[in-house]
Amino acid sequence: LQLATQGHWGAKESRGFGLEVVSIFGERYPLTATASHYWGFWVNNAYASAGICSQTLRKGAQLLFAPAPDKGNVSPIAIRAPKTASSSHPFRIQVVYYNPAGHARPLAKALVSDGKHTAITTATGYVTIHAANPGTYRFTATEKGYVRSAPVTVKVS
């Protein structure tokens, strides 16, 4: 977290739990009696089994910090897309969510957008995009109750 944010995060001592992350890049989610969210984190797409101070990581581990509801659960989502595509042919993008064990499952009804193209995924998590103009397109996916995806870039020639 320190390296990824270049020190732009804050924590407080949490009685019995070590450090509690309360802010990342100025966005605050401290645990309080009235808080509706806190900073949850995932390791390799599975919800962390320990706090940040005691979580054991292996080289190359993928970490995600995101607001998590105080009640209930959220799952992270990801986009699977080609790195390149042709403007003369449509291409497919799949959106998946990760269950608590970190296994990918197709996500239906997710909104996929690059600001110009918008589509809703099918029951199998797919959308078809026809980018008629060459360029670099940056897609994200969102769905209520899930952690939004990281952006994915597709270069269309």
Side-chain angles (χ1 to χ4, degrees), residues 5 18-19 22 34 36 41 50 68 75 78 83-84 87 112 119 123 127-128 132 143:
T5 65
L19 288 180
V22 295
T34 60
S36 62
F41 82 104
S75 296
K83 292 188 183 298
T84 61
S87 62
V112 176
V127 296
T128 300
E143 173 61 351

Side-chain angles (χ1 to χ4, degrees), residues 63-87:
L63 303 179
L64 169 66
F65 285 82
D70 189 39
K71 294 183 173 105
N73 298 313
V74 293
S75 296
I77 59 179
I79 297 175
R80 295 176 175 172
K83 292 188 183 298
T84 61
S86 169
S87 62

Side-chain angles (χ1 to χ4, degrees), residues 29-111:
Y29 292 101
L31 276 174
T32 64
T34 60
S36 62
H37 287 77
Y38 65 96
W39 283 106
F41 82 104
W42 291 258
V43 179
N44 297 327
N45 301 312
Y47 195 75
S49 60
I52 63 169
C53 293
S54 57
Q55 181 69 48
T56 301
L57 300 175
R58 295 186 179 188
K59 186 177 181 175
Q62 180 183 2
L63 303 179
L64 169 66
F65 285 82
D70 189 39
K71 294 183 173 105
N73 298 313
V74 293
S75 296
I77 59 179
I79 297 175
R80 295 176 175 172
K83 292 188 183 298
T84 61
S86 169
S87 62
S88 60
H89 299 290
F91 60 92
R92 290 178 15 141
I93 292 175
Q94 186 183 33
V95 177
V96 297
Y97 75 93
Y98 293 95
N99 68 14
H103 301 291
R105 302 286 185 254
L107 181 60
K109 300 182 183 176
L111 176 71

